Amino acid sequence: MDHRKIYPFPEHFLWGAASAAYQVEGAYREDGKGLSNQDILNGTNAFHDTTVTADFYHRYKEDIALMGEMGLKSFRFSVAWTRIYPDGKTLNPKGIEFYNKIINELLKYKIEPMVTLYHFDHPYELQKSYGGWYSDHMIDDYLRFAKTCFQAFGDRVKYWLTICEQNNIVLYPNLIGGYLEHVDIDTWRIQVTRVMSLCSARAVNLCHKMIPDAKIGASFSFPPSYPASSSPDDVLAAMNENDFRDFYGMDLVYKARQNPWVVRYYEERGVDIRLSREDTDILCSCSPDFIAYNYYRTNVAKSCPLESEQIQPEFNLTGKKGSITYPTFPGLYQGTGNETLEKSDWDWTIDPKGLRISLRMLYDRYAVPIMVVENGLGAYDQVEDGKVSDPYRIEYLKKHIEQLQLAVCDGIEVWGYYVWSFVDVLSTSNGYNKRYGLVYVDRTDRDPKELRRICKDSYYWYQELLKVNGNILDRRNVI
Ligand code: BG6
């Protein structure tokens, strides 16, 4: 819809930036921290190294001061489970101390903390002893951790996320999931989805009980899938991708519902995924306050015959445009490129309107307020004369925020928007070659150098945007 009037963002809109513990903190063995499944991956490829990353553990004061100077309204960060419970079972007070310092420092600058309980890093001990997310034992261990966080930080933290991207965790099992090689991939995927959904539901209930004035939701990855053509086969393929990849898990947490055709899909592959009465009761008992999602790009799907060979989703690991392999799920969909859109060097489409489309899809489906908790552009940034000029990132953010405002004009209740990321983080799939930050961290994959911070041009641009509460659409028509 084209609007005759432009509606402003709500007065207390949460303009934020985000990060995740294993991608920024470093200090991977300090003050009693245990090893996580992410730490165990160190050295398994050319870039993965959690030992130092951006060294936020030691430089948080400097980074939060930069957030304050910028006028940031909210900062989303995750708690490293292994700082609080190094082996998954034994409390480490030093971990609580660290996050208390972060939260207090944020509040000093009037920055609203948003805490992600789980962002891809769980105690390796739990992985070793019972297989991590594949086991129901994870539920009690996760809830113990969540309860400790609610107890320790709930007096000051009023926005919580239970689990980040359970749908991507199962999509990329080796990279972020803690996959067990001896388990059939379908069985693993669906059991992990079930365990994580139950964890989210129970954490929501626990949070509501322990911190009545807090808001809590789960966050998902949501790159909506478009049909490759107007052929009904491709339209169905795109529906299949959206349902199978994203809505199945969201529906569990937000509607306590199992999509019947996804149940059939697994049944036909010999995996019975129907939930027990007890599981359904737990899911039905929870009502999250909002749905959160990470938006970077959109996908395209075309039909995929049953006889095709299965190709699992992969990332472009080279940073050379055009080197991505698209996934193939026989009988469901196969991914393909979108010739109408620009792409990043890692082949992610740049699709600002897709943000509005995804907001509309989620609001129609779940009818709860929405938080966009990650959005940003991964790029090769360069330092020249001590400065980082990143007009491509400014362009990306500007266009997405315009579409966000159009979604507000559509009447969608959006509570917040978080740029990924505040400082450059260790990219999950590409290390320090691919940078997302508003603040540059001077290091390479191999050499942490001095880790000097340099505010990029996008930092100053976002600072200006915050002054007008994000209202950058043509303001002559603002109501
Ligand atoms: C999101 C994750 O899916 O994508 C982040 O929550 C991640 O942790 C971000 O960094 C970007 O992905 P990547 O692989 O480019 O780092």
Side-chain angles (χ1 to χ4, degrees):
M1 160 180 188
D2 285 346
H3 291 278
R4 287 166 190 264
K5 290 179 175 172
I6 301 301
Y7 294 71
F9 283 100
E11 201 185 330
H12 300 293
F13 192 82
L14 293 171
W15 289 106
S19 75
Y22 83 92
Q23 295 177 272
V24 285
E25 286 179 4
Y28 86 126
R29 301 234 59 173
E30 224 166 297
D31 290 334
K33 181 182 170 298
L35 289 177
S36 73
N37 59 319
Q38 290 294 342
D39 301 323
I40 290 299
L41 294 178
N42 286 348
T44 53
N45 60 29
F47 59 81
H48 192 89
D49 181 356
T50 58
T51 56
V52 179
T53 61
D55 198 28
F56 182 72
Y57 194 77
H58 298 112
R59 291 162 202 252
Y60 70 89
K61 282 200 176 170
E62 180 187 348
D63 289 348
I64 295 174
L66 288 175
M67 293 176 202
E69 230 167 88
M70 173 192 252
L72 201 70
K73 302 280 185 255
S74 180
F75 179 54
R76 171 186 166 221
F77 61 96
S78 76
V79 174
W81 190 338
T82 46
R83 287 201 194 282
I84 311 283
Y85 285 101
D87 60 1
K89 311 271 183 197
T90 327
L91 186 68
N92 173 33
K94 286 266 181 203
I96 309 256
E97 234 173 76
F98 172 64
Y99 293 105
N100 270 331
K101 286 193 280 189
I102 301 293
I103 293 163
N104 293 341
E105 195 70 12
L106 289 169
L107 294 176
K108 191 168 114 188
Y109 292 96
K110 299 196 172 19
I111 299 170
E112 185 80 52
M114 172 188 263
V115 167
T116 314
L117 286 169
Y118 182 77
H119 197 128
F120 308 164
D121 55 343
H122 56 269
Y124 185 59
E125 284 302 320
L126 303 184
Q127 184 73 24
K128 267 198 316 199
S129 68
Y130 54 68
W133 288 111
Y134 186 63
S135 165
D136 277 34
H137 290 308
M138 198 70 159
I139 302 174
D140 283 343
D141 285 324
Y142 170 84
L143 283 168
R144 182 189 311 111
F145 163 59
K147 186 173 177 192
T148 301
C149 292
F150 295 149
Q151 229 153 23
F153 314 129
D155 57 335
R156 287 151 295 150
V157 175
K158 302 300 170 188
Y159 291 94
W160 296 86
L161 294 172
T162 55
I163 289 178
C164 174
E165 294 190 344
Q166 64 168 59
N167 55 335
N168 260 0
I169 289 171
V170 297
L171 206 65
Y172 302 102
N174 292 312
L175 192 72
I176 47 179
Y179 178 53
L180 305 169
E181 295 294 341
H182 62 279
V183 181
D184 156 68
I185 183 72
D186 285 331
T187 312
W188 183 87
R189 275 200 171 114
I190 214 64
Q191 162 67 354
V192 170
T193 300
R194 172 184 155 267
V195 169
M196 289 192 159
S197 303
L198 292 172
C199 281
S200 273
R202 290 184 55 183
V204 166
N205 288 344
L206 189 64
C207 178
H208 283 156
K209 201 162 129 207
M210 292 178 67
I211 328 170
D213 59 340
K215 307 285 182 207
I216 184 162
S219 92
F220 294 83
S221 154
F222 186 39
S225 183
Y226 301 151
S229 75
S230 52
S231 125
D233 288 337
D234 289 344
V235 173
L236 260 175
M239 288 172 75
N240 287 344
E241 179 170 8
N242 288 325
D243 287 344
F244 178 77
R245 211 201 101 111
D246 304 326
F247 291 147
Y248 177 76
M250 293 185 201
D251 282 1
L252 286 181
V253 181
Y254 284 85
K255 291 181 155 191
R257 159 191 190 256
Q258 277 191 293
N259 181 317
W261 76 251
V262 177
V263 174
R264 285 274 157 83
Y265 172 87
Y266 281 102
E267 243 172 36
E268 289 169 18
R269 278 153 189 79
V271 189
D272 181 359
I273 67 166
R274 276 163 305 176
L275 296 176
S276 68
R277 182 63 198 268
E278 195 195 341
D279 287 355
T280 312
D281 286 349
I282 292 171
L283 296 172
C284 283
S285 70
C286 111
S287 37
D289 301 288
F290 59 87
I291 187 164
Y293 78 113
N294 301 338
Y295 178 84
Y296 291 90
R297 58 161 206 250
T298 46
N299 289 341
V300 178
K302 59 182 182 181
S303 73
C304 180
L306 258 185
E307 311 70 53
S308 317
E309 185 202 342
Q310 173 142 359
I311 302 172
Q312 295 293 339
E314 281 297 342
F315 285 101
N316 168 340
L317 295 172
T318 64
K320 283 197 193 91
K321 235 185 231 190
S323 56
I324 197 162
T325 322
Y326 292 103
T328 300
F329 285 94
L332 287 182
Y333 67 93
Q334 57 184 306
T336 182
N338 188 333
E339 299 316 316
T340 70
L341 296 170
E342 289 291 310
K343 289 160 201 77
S344 78
D345 285 321
W346 288 266
D347 291 314
W348 292 19
T349 56
I350 298 178
D351 186 4
K353 285 187 183 152
L355 175 61
R356 184 177 179 194
I357 291 168
S358 57
L359 282 159
R360 293 259 292 252
M361 288 170 85
L362 291 182
Y363 201 59
D364 282 353
R365 194 173 181 100
Y366 300 111
V368 289
I370 307 183
M371 296 259 209
V372 180
V373 292
E374 285 179 32
N375 176 234
L377 178 71
Y380 291 109
D381 295 330
Q382 298 298 339
V383 186
E384 269 168 41
D385 300 329
K387 293 189 175 147
V388 180
S389 161
D390 56 348
Y392 36 87
R393 183 168 293 108
I394 294 175
E395 178 76 357
Y396 178 99
L397 295 175
K398 178 171 177 287
K399 292 214 158 129
H400 282 77
I401 291 169
E402 283 171 357
Q403 292 299 320
L404 184 70
Q405 190 166 7
L406 286 171
V408 168
C409 296
D410 291 339
I412 295 176
E413 205 180 336
V414 196
W415 283 358
Y417 168 90
Y418 292 72
V419 174
W420 184 263
S421 50
F422 187 71
V423 296
D424 286 335
V425 301
L426 170 79
S427 149
T428 310
S429 57
N430 301 96
Y432 269 91
N433 261 330
K434 186 197 215 177
R435 292 170 180 273
Y436 284 93
L438 299 169
V439 176
Y440 188 87
V441 175
D442 191 16
R443 64 158 297 159
T444 64
D445 279 339
R446 293 279 159 84
D447 182 2
K449 299 204 256 176
E450 302 282 309
L451 295 156
R452 191 160 59 97
R453 275 41 177 171
I454 303 170
C455 293
K456 302 180 192 177
D457 285 355
S458 54
Y459 169 98
Y460 298 106
W461 176 83
Y462 202 52
Q463 185 174 48
E464 290 305 309
L465 175 109
L466 297 179
K467 289 183 188 155
V468 295
N469 196 30
N471 294 304
I472 49 173
L473 279 179
D474 186 344
R475 277 181 289 146
R476 279 167 303 180
N477 288 326
V478 174
I479 61 153

